[in-house]
Amino acid sequence: MKENSGEVGRAVPSAPGSAPAGDAARWGQRALPDNIKSEEELDEVLTRPSAALREFIRTVSSPLLILGAGGKMGPTLAVRAKRAAEVEKHPLEVIAVSRFSDRKARQWLELQNIKTIACDLLDAAALRKVPEAANIIYLAGLKFGTAENPSATWAMNTIVPARVMERYAGARIVALSTGNVYPLTPTTRGGSTETDLLTPVGEYANAAVARERIFEFYSRQNKTPVALLRLFYAVELRYGLLVDIGRKVYGGEPIELANGFFNCIWQGDANDMAIRALSLASAPPGAWNLCRPEVFSVKAVASKLGDLLGRAPKISGVEAPTALFGNSAEVCTKLGTPSVPLDMMLPWIAHWVKQGGRNLAKPTHFEVRDGNY
């Protein structure tokens, strides 16, 4: 990769048999919109199941349990699974479990025919009351605020997985992890691969490694099938790395280039693939980098968003020789290439930012290089 290339993204070499990059800018037979004008339309797009998910969902026995469902990804993941089952007339109950500090998220889920259960997953007695399930998507975790309260991060990222793995030893589980488990890697290399050593910097990243090791330990001990998904920057229009860059461009804020390259994935694709990753669960568990196969340039993405927003980006600094990004060839071989390409995401984001669309005020802090969140 050329460090100062003007290309927005450059594909990492894919494994044999993977789907071509940018394939199918459609879910099912229905075309995606040119622009997304409201949160209702955004949620409809985010929950629209792919043909592959509709086919897979018929193999999932009821109920599908989603733990940590009240965060940024959980609500639309739950509804996406439910919509797929309803289209296929498959009797699948989807149960969303969370503390539900956001009451509106719980109300929205229930309006979409999702059963909700309020539960603090750190409370062992409360967890025992959650229904049995043979299929689980695990989304619980804690990242931001680690610097102020590291013990809470370690508790959430280690104690909860242990209790879940003991409680659901007979289930198959997809557990969301993070690309932060890797150290920074040379920008010329093409991204971290699943066999790389996990030697990251920072408390959060090391707690995330510990979370994976807890899942691995119980998977080996109890032969519980698990798939670990190392996510690199899910994006929708209310949050995400691309939104952070777009808002900085539009607001005239400087964009730091030290972390000059990255991966990302449309949240709808990430959720779709996370559900279908139940098919990848194994004992001992396998790890899978979850992102689009291209590596994108912060500078080039800022320039493209600047063109779309009619603002010249303010660039600060230069690209370091290392960055946090991954190679997703393995998961693309198994589940196909994510369907929404960058050249569709960027106009959506630019339009959303210009019209003042809602922002969750949860920045990704993609520029952080010392692991201090």
Side-chain angles (χ1 to χ4, degrees), residues 277-292:
L278 285 165
S279 66
L280 304 179
S282 63
W288 309 84
N289 292 338
L290 183 59
C291 55
R292 285 202 60 83

Side-chain angles (χ1 to χ4, degrees), residues 1 12 22 58 73 78 92 97 104 113 160 182 186 190-191 209 224 232 251 269 317-318 327 332 335 372:
M1 177 186 298
V12 174
R58 298 196 298 264
M73 294 179 65
L92 178 68
V97 180
K104 290 182 179 179
N113 299 318
V160 173
Y182 297 114
V209 174
T224 303
F232 288 86
D269 284 333
V318 296
N327 185 314
C332 289
L335 300 180
N372 186 10

Side-chain angles (χ1 to χ4, degrees), residues 175 177-178 181-182 192-196 198 212-213 216 226-232 277 280-290 327-332 334:
S177 184
T178 170
V181 297
Y182 297 114
S192 297
T193 63
E194 290 87 347
T195 57
D196 287 356
L198 306 186
E212 288 198 10
R213 296 307 188 209
E216 180 183 0
V226 174
L228 299 167
L229 300 184
R230 294 170 179 167
L231 177 66
F232 288 86
L280 304 179
S282 63
W288 309 84
N289 292 338
L290 183 59
N327 185 314
S328 64
E330 292 296 325
V331 81
C332 289
K334 295 292 187 179

Side-chain angles (χ1 to χ4, degrees), residues 89-217:
K89 296 180 172 53
H90 175 55
L92 178 68
E93 182 179 40
V94 179
I95 303 175
V97 180
S98 172
R99 286 176 298 176
F100 287 114
S101 54
D102 182 353
R103 186 177 60 183
K104 290 182 179 179
R106 186 176 190 181
Q107 291 172 339
W108 183 77
L109 282 166
E110 290 175 346
L111 287 172
Q112 311 300 319
N113 299 318
I114 306 297
K115 180 179 179 180
T116 65
I117 297 175
C119 175
D120 181 351
L121 296 175
L122 276 169
D123 184 337
L127 180 60
R128 285 194 294 270
K129 296 178 183 177
V130 176
E132 294 290 339
N135 296 284
I136 296 172
I137 309 293
Y138 182 96
L139 304 177
L142 187 61
K143 177 179 182 180
F144 299 121
T146 298
E148 290 76 27
N149 191 1
S151 62
T153 298
W154 282 89
M156 192 67 195
N157 291 336
T158 59
I159 295 173
V160 173
R163 288 178 176 165
V164 168
M165 289 295 285
E166 289 175 335
R167 170 75 174 80
Y168 293 102
R172 61 174 176 172
I173 299 173
V174 169
L176 192 69
S177 184
T178 170
N180 287 96
V181 297
Y182 297 114
L184 300 175
T185 189
T187 58
T188 55
R189 182 174 171 231
S192 297
T193 63
E194 290 87 347
T195 57
D196 287 356
L197 294 176
L198 306 186
T199 56
V201 174
E203 287 238 30
Y204 163 67
N206 280 283
V209 174
R211 177 173 56 198
E212 288 198 10
R213 296 307 188 209
I214 295 295
F215 277 110
E216 180 183 0
F217 171 78

